[in-house]
Amino acid sequence: MVYIFLVVGFVLLIKGANLFVDGSSNIARSFQVSPLLIGLTIVAFGTSSPEATVSIIAALEENAGVALGNVVGSNILNITLVVGVAAFIYPLKVESETIRKEIPFTLLASVALLILISDVLLQTVSENLLTRGDGFIIMLFFMIFLYYIFEVARNSREKVKSETKVKDSSSWKKNIIYTIGGLVGIIFGGELVVKNATEIAFSFGMSETLIGLTIVAIGTSLPELITSITAALKKESEIALGNIVGSNIFNILFVLGVTAVIHPLAVNGKIIIDIIIMILLTGTLLLFSRTNYKIGKFEGMFLVIVYIIYMIFIIIRN
């Protein structure tokens, strides 16, 4: 039954995220909100909502390893497997100035996270903690990111088309139901995933951090994977890459920021290595995008191989 509930939880997370994105995006369009703003905020938040729910619930249940491992594992999976598979399907062109600015911002957020959790090294204390104060600092970074997004949206306001309005009340009702139903699915699905994944981890002698980096991270990253693969198949390469970069920023700044504010996290020293790997991979993504202005099939294959090697590494480490 534990495995059945875990699968049910993942289904609720994925379906809930899809409904939330569809409903909230349509409501936003009815107010003539910029499509760019919708993509960088609502869609990114929607695909990151499983990570947010899982991490917050895990923190409240004092499973800090799952909470932090979920975010770091999801970001590594997004950069390697999701971008890699999408790029292998269709080369991801990096022409947008927005994308080129967001990748460095992701790198900055990752480095800031590493500094904030390195208490043993930097402050010579007995353990690493992501405190409430750290959470508020991360949320300030998130506010800076939102300000940037709104500036981009304001500058592109003339591109908004009035025909995207939701015209009749039945559409309004449907989209509100989708949005609320999606959030309910995300919340209940997240609770099922945390509870049952943790039970499975203990039964196999796995650590909370490992289960967060593997099973939970893969499950909560499925919305990003589905969205980016679909975008790549439609040759919408900017959407495919933008979804990943935006989701990674949300995962670090919003998910971990809110989680730490709600409940401080005790940090397992092993995950510092994973955060360093995340930083190196983000730098690799930046290098690929700035040198060739695209991520092609070769780079995509390289990233997928890196993820396979990483999975082997963390399983052996456990």
Side-chain angles (χ1 to χ4, degrees):
M1 289 300 294
V2 172
Y3 292 98
I4 293 173
F5 284 136
L6 181 65
V7 172
V8 171
F10 280 140
V11 171
L12 285 173
L13 279 173
I14 297 163
K15 187 62 179 176
N18 287 336
L19 288 174
F20 177 80
V21 170
D22 290 342
S24 56
S25 296
N26 287 333
I27 291 173
R29 287 191 188 99
S30 72
F31 287 107
Q32 291 187 299
V33 176
S34 165
L36 180 61
L37 180 61
I38 294 170
L40 292 175
T41 55
I42 294 174
V43 175
F45 176 74
T47 55
S48 294
S49 52
E51 285 92 339
T53 307
V54 167
S55 291
I56 291 170
I57 292 172
L60 291 173
E61 295 180 355
E62 299 187 356
N63 292 327
V66 173
L68 191 55
N70 170 43
V71 168
V72 176
S74 292
N75 279 17
I76 291 174
L77 187 145
N78 286 345
I79 296 170
T80 53
L81 186 65
V82 179
V83 172
V85 171
F88 190 78
I89 293 172
Y90 184 77
L92 306 179
K93 294 181 181 179
V94 190
E95 298 176 348
S96 169
E97 185 179 355
T98 303
I99 299 298
R100 293 200 299 271
K101 287 180 179 178
E102 285 173 10
I103 296 175
F105 196 88
T106 310
L107 187 61
L108 175 65
S110 302
V111 173
L113 176 63
L114 178 63
I115 292 171
L116 289 173
I117 68 168
S118 300
D119 297 328
V120 173
L121 178 64
L122 298 178
Q123 301 184 40
T124 61
V125 294
S126 58
E127 64 175 340
N128 296 312
L129 287 172
L130 195 64
T131 64
R132 281 197 174 91
D134 295 336
F136 281 114
I137 291 172
I138 295 172
M139 289 299 293
L140 286 175
F141 274 94
F142 183 64
M143 292 299 108
I144 294 170
F145 172 67
L146 285 184
Y147 174 78
Y148 160 72
I149 292 301
F150 279 110
E151 281 297 301
V152 171
R154 185 176 63 83
N155 293 333
S156 62
R157 186 174 295 166
E158 67 276 6
K159 297 180 181 179
V160 178
K161 297 181 180 179
S162 60
E163 58 265 25
T164 58
K165 282 187 177 182
V166 178
K167 297 180 179 179
D168 54 71
S169 60
S170 62
S171 295
W172 268 101
K173 291 176 183 177
K174 182 179 72 174
N175 290 319
I176 290 172
I177 291 171
Y178 279 1
T179 304
I180 296 173
L183 284 174
V184 171
I186 289 167
I187 292 168
F188 281 103
E191 189 170 356
L192 285 173
V193 167
V194 171
K195 181 179 179 181
N196 294 286
T198 305
E199 285 188 28
I200 293 171
F202 290 144
S203 68
F204 281 97
M206 298 167 67
S207 66
E208 290 178 1
T209 302
L210 179 62
I211 202 71
L213 288 167
T214 54
I215 296 174
V216 178
I218 292 169
T220 56
S221 289
L222 285 176
E224 286 93 337
L225 181 63
I226 294 167
T227 301
S228 292
I229 289 177
T230 302
L233 289 170
K234 293 179 179 179
K235 299 183 179 180
E236 299 282 355
S237 60
E238 193 171 299
I239 294 175
L241 186 59
N243 170 51
I244 295 308
V245 176
S247 293
N248 279 17
I249 292 173
F250 265 74
N251 285 346
I252 296 173
L253 301 183
F254 177 75
V255 176
L256 281 183
V258 171
T259 303
V261 168
I262 292 173
H263 193 288
L265 301 174
V267 180
N268 187 322
K270 288 182 180 179
I271 206 165
I272 292 178
I273 297 173
D274 300 284
I275 295 174
I276 293 172
I277 292 172
M278 179 178 70
I279 292 170
L280 292 174
L281 289 171
T282 305
T284 302
L285 188 65
L286 179 62
L287 181 64
F288 285 162
S289 64
R290 285 194 178 275
T291 52
N292 300 321
Y293 293 96
K294 72 172 184 177
I295 302 172
K297 292 183 182 292
F298 174 78
E299 290 89 351
M301 191 180 301
F302 171 80
L303 291 171
V304 171
I305 292 171
V306 167
Y307 182 70
I308 294 171
I309 294 171
Y310 170 71
M311 288 293 288
I312 295 170
F313 162 71
I314 59 176
I315 290 171
I316 292 174
R317 182 182 65 184
N318 185 70

